[in-house]
PDB file of all heavy atoms in Angstrom:
ATOM      1  N   ALA F 183     -17.796   2.023 -23.411  1.00 97.00           N
ATOM      2  CA  ALA F 183     -18.364   3.450 -23.223  1.00 97.00           C
ATOM      3  C   ALA F 183     -19.706   3.404 -22.914  1.00 97.00           C
ATOM      4  O   ALA F 183     -20.582   2.537 -23.342  1.00 97.00           O
ATOM      5  CB  ALA F 183     -18.226   4.156 -24.617  1.00 97.00           C
ATOM      6  N   SER F 184     -20.128   4.199 -21.959  1.00 95.00           N
ATOM      7  CA  SER F 184     -21.627   4.198 -21.552  1.00 95.00           C
ATOM      8  C   SER F 184     -22.483   4.709 -22.596  1.00 95.00           C
ATOM      9  O   SER F 184     -23.658   4.442 -22.745  1.00 95.00           O
ATOM     10  CB  SER F 184     -21.852   5.047 -20.286  1.00 95.00           C
ATOM     11  OG  SER F 184     -21.674   6.414 -20.648  1.00 95.00           O
ATOM     12  N   GLY F 185     -21.825   5.618 -23.477  1.00 94.00           N
ATOM     13  CA  GLY F 185     -22.654   6.202 -24.529  1.00 94.00           C
ATOM     14  C   GLY F 185     -23.177   7.607 -24.177  1.00 94.00           C
ATOM     15  O   GLY F 185     -23.698   8.405 -25.020  1.00 94.00           O
ATOM     16  N   GLY F 186     -23.164   7.783 -22.819  1.00 93.00           N
ATOM     17  CA  GLY F 186     -23.528   9.141 -22.298  1.00 93.00           C
ATOM     18  C   GLY F 186     -25.014   9.311 -22.424  1.00 93.00           C
ATOM     19  O   GLY F 186     -25.726   8.496 -22.762  1.00 93.00           O
ATOM     20  N   PRO F 187     -25.563  10.516 -22.120  1.00 93.00           N
ATOM     21  CA  PRO F 187     -27.002  10.841 -22.058  1.00 93.00           C
ATOM     22  C   PRO F 187     -27.601  10.855 -23.519  1.00 93.00           C
ATOM     23  O   PRO F 187     -28.859  10.672 -23.504  1.00 93.00           O
ATOM     24  CB  PRO F 187     -27.109  12.153 -21.347  1.00 93.00           C
ATOM     25  CG  PRO F 187     -25.734  12.816 -21.577  1.00 93.00           C
ATOM     26  CD  PRO F 187     -24.712  11.750 -21.628  1.00 93.00           C
ATOM     27  N   PHE F 188     -26.856  10.956 -24.530  1.00 96.00           N
ATOM     28  CA  PHE F 188     -27.497  11.181 -25.788  1.00 96.00           C
ATOM     29  C   PHE F 188     -27.295   9.990 -26.808  1.00 96.00           C
ATOM     30  O   PHE F 188     -27.471  10.145 -28.003  1.00 96.00           O
ATOM     31  CB  PHE F 188     -26.937  12.391 -26.428  1.00 96.00           C
ATOM     32  CG  PHE F 188     -27.144  13.685 -25.563  1.00 96.00           C
ATOM     33  CD1 PHE F 188     -26.075  14.647 -25.360  1.00 96.00           C
ATOM     34  CD2 PHE F 188     -28.285  13.809 -24.854  1.00 96.00           C
ATOM     35  CE1 PHE F 188     -26.110  15.583 -24.502  1.00 96.00           C
ATOM     36  CE2 PHE F 188     -28.374  14.950 -24.006  1.00 96.00           C
ATOM     37  CZ  PHE F 188     -27.503  15.823 -23.743  1.00 96.00           C
ATOM     38  N   PHE F 189     -26.920   8.931 -26.287  1.00 96.00           N
ATOM     39  CA  PHE F 189     -26.753   7.688 -27.141  1.00 96.00           C
ATOM     40  C   PHE F 189     -28.035   7.480 -27.978  1.00 96.00           C
ATOM     41  O   PHE F 189     -29.083   7.479 -27.496  1.00 96.00           O
ATOM     42  CB  PHE F 189     -26.420   6.470 -26.164  1.00 96.00           C
ATOM     43  CG  PHE F 189     -26.125   5.241 -27.153  1.00 96.00           C
ATOM     44  CD1 PHE F 189     -25.176   5.129 -27.998  1.00 96.00           C
ATOM     45  CD2 PHE F 189     -27.119   4.265 -27.004  1.00 96.00           C
ATOM     46  CE1 PHE F 189     -24.915   4.043 -28.781  1.00 96.00           C
ATOM     47  CE2 PHE F 189     -26.971   3.072 -27.738  1.00 96.00           C
ATOM     48  CZ  PHE F 189     -25.918   2.986 -28.713  1.00 96.00           C
ATOM     49  N   GLY F 190     -27.838   7.223 -29.274  1.00 96.00           N
ATOM     50  CA  GLY F 190     -28.960   6.953 -30.174  1.00 96.00           C
ATOM     51  C   GLY F 190     -29.724   8.187 -30.724  1.00 96.00           C
ATOM     52  O   GLY F 190     -30.600   8.153 -31.562  1.00 96.00           O
ATOM     53  N   LYS F 191     -29.193   9.322 -30.310  1.00 96.00           N
ATOM     54  CA  LYS F 191     -29.804  10.592 -30.868  1.00 96.00           C
ATOM     55  C   LYS F 191     -29.196  10.824 -32.239  1.00 96.00           C
ATOM     56  O   LYS F 191     -28.129  10.444 -32.517  1.00 96.00           O
ATOM     57  CB  LYS F 191     -29.569  11.821 -30.007  1.00 96.00           C
ATOM     58  CG  LYS F 191     -30.405  11.857 -28.719  1.00 96.00           C
ATOM     59  CD  LYS F 191     -30.570  13.326 -28.234  1.00 96.00           C
ATOM     60  CE  LYS F 191     -31.243  13.408 -26.909  1.00 96.00           C
ATOM     61  NZ  LYS F 191     -32.681  13.082 -26.943  1.00 96.00           N
ATOM     62  N   THR F 192     -30.025  11.586 -33.104  1.00 97.00           N
ATOM     63  CA  THR F 192     -29.433  11.936 -34.392  1.00 97.00           C
ATOM     64  C   THR F 192     -28.719  13.348 -34.266  1.00 97.00           C
ATOM     65  O   THR F 192     -28.998  14.024 -33.273  1.00 97.00           O
ATOM     66  CB  THR F 192     -30.630  12.165 -35.392  1.00 97.00           C
ATOM     67  OG1 THR F 192     -31.389  13.243 -34.896  1.00 97.00           O
ATOM     68  CG2 THR F 192     -31.452  10.911 -35.501  1.00 97.00           C
ATOM     69  N   LEU F 193     -27.940  13.672 -35.285  1.00 97.00           N
ATOM     70  CA  LEU F 193     -27.307  14.923 -35.285  1.00 97.00           C
ATOM     71  C   LEU F 193     -28.349  16.172 -35.044  1.00 97.00           C
ATOM     72  O   LEU F 193     -28.019  17.032 -34.348  1.00 97.00           O
ATOM     73  CB  LEU F 193     -26.502  15.104 -36.608  1.00 97.00           C
ATOM     74  CG  LEU F 193     -25.420  16.101 -36.666  1.00 97.00           C
ATOM     75  CD1 LEU F 193     -24.415  16.100 -35.482  1.00 97.00           C
ATOM     76  CD2 LEU F 193     -24.703  16.084 -38.053  1.00 97.00           C
ATOM     77  N   ALA F 194     -29.439  16.015 -35.719  1.00 96.00           N
ATOM     78  CA  ALA F 194     -30.474  17.133 -35.689  1.00 96.00           C
ATOM     79  C   ALA F 194     -30.913  17.102 -34.285  1.00 96.00           C
ATOM     80  O   ALA F 194     -31.173  18.338 -33.775  1.00 96.00           O
ATOM     81  CB  ALA F 194     -31.622  16.792 -36.628  1.00 96.00           C
ATOM     82  N   GLU F 195     -31.078  16.173 -33.623  1.00 96.00           N
ATOM     83  CA  GLU F 195     -31.483  16.158 -32.220  1.00 96.00           C
ATOM     84  C   GLU F 195     -30.571  16.683 -31.312  1.00 96.00           C
ATOM     85  O   GLU F 195     -30.880  17.288 -30.285  1.00 96.00           O
ATOM     86  CB  GLU F 195     -32.000  14.714 -31.696  1.00 96.00           C
ATOM     87  CG  GLU F 195     -33.254  14.254 -32.338  1.00 96.00           C
ATOM     88  CD  GLU F 195     -33.543  12.721 -32.221  1.00 96.00           C
ATOM     89  OE1 GLU F 195     -32.606  11.937 -31.986  1.00 96.00           O
ATOM     90  OE2 GLU F 195     -34.754  12.367 -32.335  1.00 96.00           O
ATOM     91  N   LEU F 196     -29.253  16.520 -31.600  1.00 97.00           N
ATOM     92  CA  LEU F 196     -28.189  17.008 -30.689  1.00 97.00           C
ATOM     93  C   LEU F 196     -28.238  18.571 -30.704  1.00 97.00           C
ATOM     94  O   LEU F 196     -27.586  19.182 -29.863  1.00 97.00           O
ATOM     95  CB  LEU F 196     -26.826  16.418 -31.160  1.00 97.00           C
ATOM     96  CG  LEU F 196     -26.560  14.973 -30.902  1.00 97.00           C
ATOM     97  CD1 LEU F 196     -25.239  14.505 -31.240  1.00 97.00           C
ATOM     98  CD2 LEU F 196     -26.756  14.735 -29.272  1.00 97.00           C
ATOM     99  N   LYS F 197     -28.573  19.119 -31.893  1.00 94.00           N
ATOM    100  CA  LYS F 197     -28.409  20.529 -32.022  1.00 94.00           C
ATOM    101  C   LYS F 197     -29.050  21.341 -30.904  1.00 94.00           C
ATOM    102  O   LYS F 197     -28.602  22.462 -30.596  1.00 94.00           O
ATOM    103  CB  LYS F 197     -28.910  20.997 -33.380  1.00 94.00           C
ATOM    104  CG  LYS F 197     -27.878  20.590 -34.511  1.00 94.00           C
ATOM    105  CD  LYS F 197     -28.085  21.374 -35.774  1.00 94.00           C
ATOM    106  CE  LYS F 197     -27.357  20.756 -36.865  1.00 94.00           C
ATOM    107  NZ  LYS F 197     -25.926  20.659 -36.834  1.00 94.00           N
ATOM    108  N   ASP F 198     -30.189  20.817 -30.402  1.00 92.00           N
ATOM    109  CA  ASP F 198     -30.966  21.571 -29.316  1.00 92.00           C
ATOM    110  C   ASP F 198     -30.603  21.244 -27.941  1.00 92.00           C
ATOM    111  O   ASP F 198     -31.333  21.818 -27.023  1.00 92.00           O
ATOM    112  CB  ASP F 198     -32.461  21.470 -29.649  1.00 92.00           C
ATOM    113  CG  ASP F 198     -32.869  21.810 -31.094  1.00 92.00           C
ATOM    114  OD1 ASP F 198     -32.262  22.814 -31.436  1.00 92.00           O
ATOM    115  OD2 ASP F 198     -33.807  21.154 -31.601  1.00 92.00           O
ATOM    116  N   VAL F 199     -29.593  20.409 -27.770  1.00 95.00           N
ATOM    117  CA  VAL F 199     -29.323  20.032 -26.330  1.00 95.00           C
ATOM    118  C   VAL F 199     -28.757  21.169 -25.531  1.00 95.00           C
ATOM    119  O   VAL F 199     -28.033  22.038 -26.040  1.00 95.00           O
ATOM    120  CB  VAL F 199     -28.174  18.851 -26.476  1.00 95.00           C
ATOM    121  CG1 VAL F 199     -27.372  18.858 -25.284  1.00 95.00           C
ATOM    122  CG2 VAL F 199     -28.823  17.605 -26.885  1.00 95.00           C
ATOM    123  N   THR F 200     -29.251  21.220 -24.187  1.00 96.00           N
ATOM    124  CA  THR F 200     -28.846  22.387 -23.402  1.00 96.00           C
ATOM    125  C   THR F 200     -27.865  21.885 -22.429  1.00 96.00           C
ATOM    126  O   THR F 200     -27.636  20.620 -22.206  1.00 96.00           O
ATOM    127  CB  THR F 200     -30.106  22.924 -22.556  1.00 96.00           C
ATOM    128  OG1 THR F 200     -30.410  21.793 -21.658  1.00 96.00           O
ATOM    129  CG2 THR F 200     -31.324  23.291 -23.381  1.00 96.00           C
ATOM    130  N   PRO F 201     -26.944  22.756 -21.763  1.00 96.00           N
ATOM    131  CA  PRO F 201     -26.110  22.404 -20.739  1.00 96.00           C
ATOM    132  C   PRO F 201     -26.805  21.496 -19.624  1.00 96.00           C
ATOM    133  O   PRO F 201     -26.171  20.569 -19.225  1.00 96.00           O
ATOM    134  CB  PRO F 201     -25.575  23.631 -20.167  1.00 96.00           C
ATOM    135  CG  PRO F 201     -25.655  24.539 -21.343  1.00 96.00           C
ATOM    136  CD  PRO F 201     -26.922  24.237 -21.974  1.00 96.00           C
ATOM    137  N   ALA F 202     -27.921  21.814 -19.144  1.00 95.00           N
ATOM    138  CA  ALA F 202     -28.622  21.062 -18.137  1.00 95.00           C
ATOM    139  C   ALA F 202     -28.834  19.630 -18.642  1.00 95.00           C
ATOM    140  O   ALA F 202     -28.612  18.694 -17.917  1.00 95.00           O
ATOM    141  CB  ALA F 202     -29.904  21.666 -17.845  1.00 95.00           C
ATOM    142  N   ASP F 203     -29.174  19.457 -19.937  1.00 94.00           N
ATOM    143  CA  ASP F 203     -29.496  18.118 -20.535  1.00 94.00           C
ATOM    144  C   ASP F 203     -28.127  17.308 -20.477  1.00 94.00           C
ATOM    145  O   ASP F 203     -28.083  16.086 -20.174  1.00 94.00           O
ATOM    146  CB  ASP F 203     -29.887  18.187 -21.994  1.00 94.00           C
ATOM    147  CG  ASP F 203     -31.230  18.914 -22.183  1.00 94.00           C
ATOM    148  OD1 ASP F 203     -32.094  18.759 -21.310  1.00 94.00           O
ATOM    149  OD2 ASP F 203     -31.408  19.433 -23.271  1.00 94.00           O
ATOM    150  N   ALA F 204     -27.092  17.956 -20.947  1.00 95.00           N
ATOM    151  CA  ALA F 204     -25.788  17.391 -21.117  1.00 95.00           C
ATOM    152  C   ALA F 204     -25.131  17.085 -19.784  1.00 95.00           C
ATOM    153  O   ALA F 204     -24.336  16.227 -19.636  1.00 95.00           O
ATOM    154  CB  ALA F 204     -24.926  18.214 -22.000  1.00 95.00           C
ATOM    155  N   LEU F 205     -25.540  17.769 -18.753  1.00 94.00           N
ATOM    156  CA  LEU F 205     -24.861  17.466 -17.380  1.00 94.00           C
ATOM    157  C   LEU F 205     -25.578  16.217 -16.674  1.00 94.00           C
ATOM    158  O   LEU F 205     -25.155  15.865 -15.593  1.00 94.00           O
ATOM    159  CB  LEU F 205     -24.935  18.826 -16.563  1.00 94.00           C
ATOM    160  CG  LEU F 205     -23.992  19.885 -16.929  1.00 94.00           C
ATOM    161  CD1 LEU F 205     -24.291  21.152 -16.181  1.00 94.00           C
ATOM    162  CD2 LEU F 205     -22.525  19.351 -16.662  1.00 94.00           C
ATOM    163  N   ARG F 206     -26.568  15.750 -17.295  1.00 89.00           N
ATOM    164  CA  ARG F 206     -27.193  14.568 -16.717  1.00 89.00           C
ATOM    165  C   ARG F 206     -26.720  13.240 -17.137  1.00 89.00           C
ATOM    166  O   ARG F 206     -27.183  12.695 -18.116  1.00 89.00           O
ATOM    167  CB  ARG F 206     -28.754  14.572 -17.016  1.00 89.00           C
ATOM    168  CG  ARG F 206     -29.620  14.676 -15.651  1.00 89.00           C
ATOM    169  CD  ARG F 206     -31.106  15.023 -15.970  1.00 89.00           C
ATOM    170  NE  ARG F 206     -31.374  16.438 -16.207  1.00 89.00           N
ATOM    171  CZ  ARG F 206     -31.988  16.867 -17.177  1.00 89.00           C
ATOM    172  NH1 ARG F 206     -32.300  16.183 -18.312  1.00 89.00           N
ATOM    173  NH2 ARG F 206     -32.296  18.162 -17.239  1.00 89.00           N
ATOM    174  N   HIS F 207     -25.622  12.737 -16.538  1.00 79.00           N
ATOM    175  CA  HIS F 207     -25.003  11.529 -17.083  1.00 79.00           C
ATOM    176  C   HIS F 207     -25.786  10.396 -16.493  1.00 79.00           C
ATOM    177  O   HIS F 207     -26.157  10.339 -15.231  1.00 79.00           O
ATOM    178  CB  HIS F 207     -23.525  11.462 -16.628  1.00 79.00           C
ATOM    179  CG  HIS F 207     -22.825  10.398 -17.413  1.00 79.00           C
ATOM    180  ND1 HIS F 207     -22.874   9.061 -16.934  1.00 79.00           N
ATOM    181  CD2 HIS F 207     -22.106  10.353 -18.501  1.00 79.00           C
ATOM    182  CE1 HIS F 207     -22.082   8.287 -17.808  1.00 79.00           C
ATOM    183  NE2 HIS F 207     -21.569   9.088 -18.677  1.00 79.00           N
ATOM    184  N   PRO F 208     -26.071   9.269 -17.267  1.00 77.00           N
ATOM    185  CA  PRO F 208     -26.814   8.065 -16.701  1.00 77.00           C
ATOM    186  C   PRO F 208     -26.127   7.354 -15.644  1.00 77.00           C
ATOM    187  O   PRO F 208     -26.831   6.839 -14.758  1.00 77.00           O
ATOM    188  CB  PRO F 208     -27.136   7.369 -18.016  1.00 77.00           C
ATOM    189  CG  PRO F 208     -26.049   7.660 -19.048  1.00 77.00           C
ATOM    190  CD  PRO F 208     -25.736   9.096 -18.551  1.00 77.00           C
ATOM    191  N   ASN F 209     -24.781   7.201 -15.648  1.00 80.00           N
ATOM    192  CA  ASN F 209     -24.213   6.216 -14.656  1.00 80.00           C
ATOM    193  C   ASN F 209     -23.168   6.820 -13.716  1.00 80.00           C
ATOM    194  O   ASN F 209     -23.007   6.193 -12.767  1.00 80.00           O
ATOM    195  CB  ASN F 209     -23.472   5.030 -15.514  1.00 80.00           C
ATOM    196  CG  ASN F 209     -24.348   4.359 -16.391  1.00 80.00           C
ATOM    197  OD1 ASN F 209     -25.537   4.557 -16.388  1.00 80.00           O
ATOM    198  ND2 ASN F 209     -23.842   3.506 -17.232  1.00 80.00           N
ATOM    199  N   TRP F 210     -22.542   7.995 -14.048  1.00 76.00           N
ATOM    200  CA  TRP F 210     -21.388   8.423 -13.231  1.00 76.00           C
ATOM    201  C   TRP F 210     -21.738   9.868 -12.782  1.00 76.00           C
ATOM    202  O   TRP F 210     -22.281  10.680 -13.558  1.00 76.00           O
ATOM    203  CB  TRP F 210     -20.103   8.479 -14.010  1.00 76.00           C
ATOM    204  CG  TRP F 210     -19.678   7.218 -14.564  1.00 76.00           C
ATOM    205  CD1 TRP F 210     -19.907   6.560 -15.783  1.00 76.00           C
ATOM    206  CD2 TRP F 210     -18.808   6.177 -13.903  1.00 76.00           C
ATOM    207  NE1 TRP F 210     -19.317   5.440 -15.953  1.00 76.00           N
ATOM    208  CE2 TRP F 210     -18.593   5.114 -14.739  1.00 76.00           C
ATOM    209  CE3 TRP F 210     -18.214   6.231 -12.736  1.00 76.00           C
ATOM    210  CZ2 TRP F 210     -17.743   4.037 -14.420  1.00 76.00           C
ATOM    211  CZ3 TRP F 210     -17.382   5.060 -12.309  1.00 76.00           C
ATOM    212  CH2 TRP F 210     -17.290   3.959 -13.211  1.00 76.00           C
ATOM    213  N   THR F 211     -21.242  10.159 -11.546  1.00 81.00           N
ATOM    214  CA  THR F 211     -21.306  11.606 -11.108  1.00 81.00           C
ATOM    215  C   THR F 211     -19.941  12.078 -11.064  1.00 81.00           C
ATOM    216  O   THR F 211     -19.086  11.585 -10.400  1.00 81.00           O
ATOM    217  CB  THR F 211     -21.751  11.730  -9.669  1.00 81.00           C
ATOM    218  OG1 THR F 211     -23.092  10.845  -9.627  1.00 81.00           O
ATOM    219  CG2 THR F 211     -22.129  13.080  -9.136  1.00 81.00           C
ATOM    220  N   MET F 212     -19.649  13.126 -11.967  1.00 89.00           N
ATOM    221  CA  MET F 212     -18.255  13.592 -12.172  1.00 89.00           C
ATOM    222  C   MET F 212     -18.330  15.092 -12.271  1.00 89.00           C
ATOM    223  O   MET F 212     -19.360  15.795 -12.224  1.00 89.00           O
ATOM    224  CB  MET F 212     -17.779  12.979 -13.476  1.00 89.00           C
ATOM    225  CG  MET F 212     -17.993  11.551 -13.736  1.00 89.00           C
ATOM    226  SD  MET F 212     -17.444  10.888 -15.263  1.00 89.00           S
ATOM    227  CE  MET F 212     -18.761  11.480 -16.361  1.00 89.00           C
ATOM    228  N   GLY F 213     -17.117  15.662 -12.424  1.00 92.00           N
ATOM    229  CA  GLY F 213     -16.941  17.116 -12.602  1.00 92.00           C
ATOM    230  C   GLY F 213     -17.686  17.622 -13.900  1.00 92.00           C
ATOM    231  O   GLY F 213     -17.951  16.703 -14.731  1.00 92.00           O
ATOM    232  N   SER F 214     -18.044  18.901 -14.044  1.00 94.00           N
ATOM    233  CA  SER F 214     -18.768  19.317 -15.127  1.00 94.00           C
ATOM    234  C   SER F 214     -18.147  19.101 -16.573  1.00 94.00           C
ATOM    235  O   SER F 214     -18.763  18.683 -17.409  1.00 94.00           O
ATOM    236  CB  SER F 214     -19.308  20.755 -14.930  1.00 94.00           C
ATOM    237  OG  SER F 214     -18.174  21.641 -14.820  1.00 94.00           O
ATOM    238  N   LYS F 215     -16.757  19.385 -16.547  1.00 95.00           N
ATOM    239  CA  LYS F 215     -16.125  19.264 -17.841  1.00 95.00           C
ATOM    240  C   LYS F 215     -16.084  17.862 -18.450  1.00 95.00           C
ATOM    241  O   LYS F 215     -16.482  17.670 -19.406  1.00 95.00           O
ATOM    242  CB  LYS F 215     -14.594  19.781 -17.711  1.00 95.00           C
ATOM    243  CG  LYS F 215     -13.974  20.052 -19.106  1.00 95.00           C
ATOM    244  CD  LYS F 215     -12.932  18.890 -19.244  1.00 95.00           C
ATOM    245  CE  LYS F 215     -12.359  19.123 -20.614  1.00 95.00           C
ATOM    246  NZ  LYS F 215     -11.384  17.954 -20.988  1.00 95.00           N
ATOM    247  N   ILE F 216     -15.805  16.941 -17.610  1.00 94.00           N
ATOM    248  CA  ILE F 216     -15.790  15.448 -18.048  1.00 94.00           C
ATOM    249  C   ILE F 216     -17.212  15.054 -18.286  1.00 94.00           C
ATOM    250  O   ILE F 216     -17.413  14.176 -19.321  1.00 94.00           O
ATOM    251  CB  ILE F 216     -15.052  14.508 -17.163  1.00 94.00           C
ATOM    252  CG1 ILE F 216     -14.977  13.101 -17.791  1.00 94.00           C
ATOM    253  CG2 ILE F 216     -15.513  14.568 -15.790  1.00 94.00           C
ATOM    254  CD1 ILE F 216     -14.256  12.074 -16.927  1.00 94.00           C
TER     255      ILE F 216
END
Side-chain angles (χ1 to χ4, degrees):
S184 71
F188 306 135
F189 179 68
K191 282 204 189 297
T192 62
L193 197 54
E195 286 167 336
L196 287 183
K197 288 205 194 293
D198 299 326
V199 155
T200 67
D203 299 329
L205 284 169
R206 237 172 274 125
H207 194 278
N209 302 352
W210 299 94
T211 310
M212 309 176 284
S214 56
K215 193 255 176 185
I216 184 182

